[in-house]
Amino acid sequence: MGEGSPSLEPSTSATNLKGLDSLQLHDTQINNGVRPTMHHDNHMGNHEDKVDKLDKEDNTSSARPVSSSISPSISPSISSSISSSIRPSTNSPTNSIAPKIDIEKLVEIAKTINSNDNKYTIRDVNALLGGGQETIETALLRRYVSGLQSPLSSLPYTGGGVDYDSISGRNCDNCVGYVSVPVGIAGPVKYSFIDLTDGGVKEDKDLISHIPIATTEGGLIASVSRGCKALRDSCTVTTCVTKDAMTRCPALEFKTVKDAVAFKVYVEGDGIGVVKESFEDTTKYGKLERVECKVVGRMVYFRVEAKTGEAMGMNMVSKGTENVLRVLKQDWEFNVITLSGNGCSDKKPSATNFVKGRGKSVTAEAIIKREVVERTLKSNPENMKRTNIYKNQVGSAVAGNLGGMNAHAANVVAGVFIATGQDPAHTVEGSMCTTVMDVTPEGDLYVSVTLPSICVGTIGGGTELPPQKASIKSMGCEGTGGSKRLAGLIG
């Protein structure tokens, strides 16, 4: 896969590709001769007509034995590039995922790529091969048919713990490889964890953890580690989860303001039981916490908050909310404009999330000894307090920041999110953070941070990928209560 490897664009000759002898793909490489049944997934789009046409045009090649002699096809440079890419050299990292592409389908692909009548697309690859298992070959084929092989020649596709079949339809669509992001560790940090979200005060003491951070910003982890050292040399950090509630807020249109107000009164009052039952009918782990309606003319923004167990829970809450609306429509007349009306507010900075919280709301505090501030942080408590006031508070106000009363919380939030398989787009609301600094009567530095909207989970989505799962485990955040501990450590 050299830098100059050409992409496979349609050529002027429809007979340029008539076989794949030069690819040197043998039965022993194609899943030991076992070929998956190919079918067309409905979710891939309406490609049946085109696929059927290809099958009819090439019904002879699809029946051709793999070992039969096929006339030379691809130009030597392209052939060499494909061959070396699909069949890694003995020096390449070993990929544990066995290839599962049907060789006859590869013949169809190769012929169609160079056909004037049938320019092959990524969607067609999905239609032909999506019914089988995802492998490194499917990722590679997408590069060629999209004409991106040369630009993507340095993009890894083997090794790295990527199980293409498991990520298909779950983590990544039209996958063509992966991007490596370096992961470093900061810490360790000593902490106690307090959970206020289950009807009482639960505290776990004498905990210690490193913090995995994925980043390409040099110096970031060194800076965080210096802060962790100052904390470790001074105290045990106290971190507390004060709220746990993922949200969804559909936009509902009523005929009149009077109808909208009547709906608000009902669902926030006598109808709350109906809402809770219909929501929890859809989930084993989701528990409705509260609902709140904001009336804007004849529109109602119906904000639903629910606990979602160890999952980040957005899909869980969306499914439950959809069922609530289905039940309520039996007695109320309204139009659902959208299931997510931006009152949630999802992946956007908002005053609602800053004040009410979304996901896990966390606050943490520490007292750093004066001598540690001077020795490790090269400052003193008075200067730290003054800088926090005029930078993080006044400066943020001058800039009109929304929830941005901090130095660079987004760096740590994004880095931990990527390392642990969270949705990095939630850094937007997750990094809304208020930093407070003060000087204690003893002359030490008091520090607290409050992050009201940390949307994290320890099961589902990217957290199921082996490297990300390993990061979660390294922090002691697997199992029951792990998602809240993870949020607490981010704080």
Side-chain angles (χ1 to χ4, degrees):
M1 294 173 60
E3 190 64 28
S5 302
S7 59
L8 292 184
E9 291 293 335
S11 70
T12 55
S13 171
T15 60
N16 188 36
L17 293 177
K18 293 185 179 179
L20 294 178
D21 276 4
S22 58
L23 293 184
Q24 302 177 18
L25 289 171
H26 305 293
D27 276 347
T28 54
Q29 290 179 282
I30 309 300
N31 197 31
N32 294 322
V34 179
R35 304 185 181 97
T37 301
M38 295 293 174
H39 60 272
H40 313 308
D41 286 347
N42 291 333
H43 71 277
M44 294 299 182
N46 186 19
H47 308 297
E48 288 81 356
D49 291 343
K50 189 168 186 177
V51 174
D52 289 344
K53 180 181 179 182
L54 294 176
D55 289 340
K56 291 175 182 177
E57 290 177 348
D58 196 35
N59 55 12
T60 56
S61 65
S62 63
R64 185 183 294 120
V66 174
S67 59
S68 65
S69 176
I70 306 176
S71 58
S73 54
I74 308 173
S75 66
S77 60
I78 297 178
S79 171
S80 175
S81 180
I82 299 178
S83 181
S84 62
S85 300
I86 293 184
R87 185 186 180 192
S89 69
T90 56
N91 295 324
S92 300
T94 301
N95 192 304
S96 60
I97 309 303
K100 294 182 175 66
I101 296 295
D102 191 319
I103 189 67
E104 284 83 359
K105 293 298 180 182
L106 287 177
V107 173
E108 292 181 277
I109 291 170
K111 292 179 68 175
T112 311
I113 288 172
N114 280 261
S115 169
N116 289 329
D117 298 328
N118 297 292
K119 181 174 180 180
Y120 219 71
T121 68
I122 289 179
R123 296 184 72 186
D124 297 323
V125 171
N126 294 338
L128 278 174
L129 303 176
Q133 289 182 297
E134 289 277 321
T135 67
I136 58 176
E137 281 80 8
T138 55
L140 189 65
L141 283 167
R142 289 192 182 100
R143 297 190 193 187
Y144 280 102
V145 300
S146 63
L148 294 175
Q149 172 56 18
S150 292
L152 295 178
S153 61
S154 61
L155 188 69
Y157 65 94
T158 61
V162 178
D163 182 344
Y164 285 93
D165 196 46
S166 68
I167 67 174
S168 177
R170 173 186 292 176
N171 304 112
C172 183
D173 307 303
N174 295 336
C175 189
V176 296
Y178 61 91
V179 173
S180 299
V181 180
V183 177
I185 55 172
V189 61
K190 299 181 296 183
Y191 72 103
S192 64
F193 174 70
I194 300 174
D195 182 4
L196 302 181
T197 65
D198 290 325
V201 179
K202 179 182 177 182
E203 183 174 5
D204 293 325
K205 299 180 179 180
D206 302 322
L207 303 173
I208 187 167
S209 177
H210 284 88
I211 312 297
I213 298 175
T215 183
T216 56
E217 180 183 344
L220 171 61
I221 296 175
S223 176
V224 176
S225 290
R226 186 164 55 249
C228 289
K229 175 175 171 54
L231 294 170
R232 191 170 60 251
D233 291 347
S234 299
C235 66
T236 295
V237 176
T238 299
T239 184
C240 179
V241 175
T242 59
K243 185 177 179 181
D244 179 14
M246 181 48 64
T247 64
R248 182 53 79 213
C249 184
L252 312 178
E253 181 186 43
F254 290 80
K255 286 187 175 181
T256 66
V257 170
K258 184 176 180 180
D259 293 336
V261 170
F263 178 84
K264 170 183 170 66
V265 171
Y266 173 73
V267 296
E268 293 180 353
D270 294 342
I272 189 63
V274 174
V275 173
K276 182 175 177 64
E277 181 180 0
S278 55
F279 180 94
E280 295 179 4
D281 278 348
T282 66
T283 172
K284 181 179 179 181
Y285 300 100
K287 302 297 178 184
L288 185 76
E289 290 290 290
R290 64 189 62 84
V291 298
E292 180 181 11
C293 293
K294 183 170 183 62
V295 178
V296 182
R298 62 179 181 177
M299 296 293 299
V300 172
Y301 291 85
F302 180 40
R303 197 170 195 259
V304 176
E305 299 183 4
K307 291 182 178 178
T308 58
E310 302 310 316
M312 185 269 284
M314 191 183 307
N315 291 338
M316 188 187 302
V317 175
S318 296
K319 183 178 179 181
T321 301
E322 188 174 28
N323 193 55
V324 168
L325 298 180
R326 186 160 43 243
V327 171
L328 290 175
K329 280 181 73 70
Q330 296 174 9
D331 298 310
W332 294 85
E333 187 175 350
F334 58 82
N335 295 320
V336 180
I337 301 300
T338 174
L339 186 62
S340 178
N342 272 5
C344 311
S345 170
D346 182 33
K347 302 174 183 176
K348 290 167 282 291
S350 70
T352 292
N353 287 347
F354 185 60
V355 174
K356 298 179 180 178
R358 185 172 195 247
K360 276 71 173 171
S361 298
V362 174
T363 189
E365 71 171 6
I367 295 178
I368 305 177
K369 297 176 182 178
R370 172 177 288 273
E371 57 267 29
V372 174
V373 175
E374 293 173 348
R375 181 180 67 247
T376 303
L377 303 182
K378 312 301 181 185
S379 185
N380 61 63
E382 290 76 17
N383 281 342
M384 296 286 285
K385 175 183 177 179
R386 181 179 177 84
T387 301
N388 184 67
I389 291 173
Y390 288 107
K391 171 187 171 70
N392 292 341
Q393 296 177 11
V394 178
S396 297
V398 169
N401 290 352
L402 182 57
M405 282 74 76
N406 62 84
H408 64 125
N411 265 326
V412 176
V413 173
V416 177
F417 273 21
I418 295 170
T420 60
Q422 313 303 320
D423 186 340
H426 284 300
T427 301
V428 175
E429 66 260 53
S431 61
M432 291 194 298
C433 171
T434 301
T435 302
V436 175
M437 293 187 182
D438 204 352
V439 181
T440 70
E442 296 76 21
D444 298 324
L445 178 65
Y446 172 87
V447 183
S448 74
V449 293
T450 302
L451 299 92
S453 301
I454 301 180
C455 301
V456 294
T458 52
I459 62 172
T463 69
E464 300 297 333
L465 299 173
Q468 287 81 343
K469 186 181 288 291
S471 291
I472 292 172
K473 186 175 181 179
S474 75
M475 300 171 75
C477 294
E478 74 277 19
T480 302
S483 61
K484 287 183 279 191
R485 288 195 298 273
L486 175 58
L489 276 168
I490 292 173

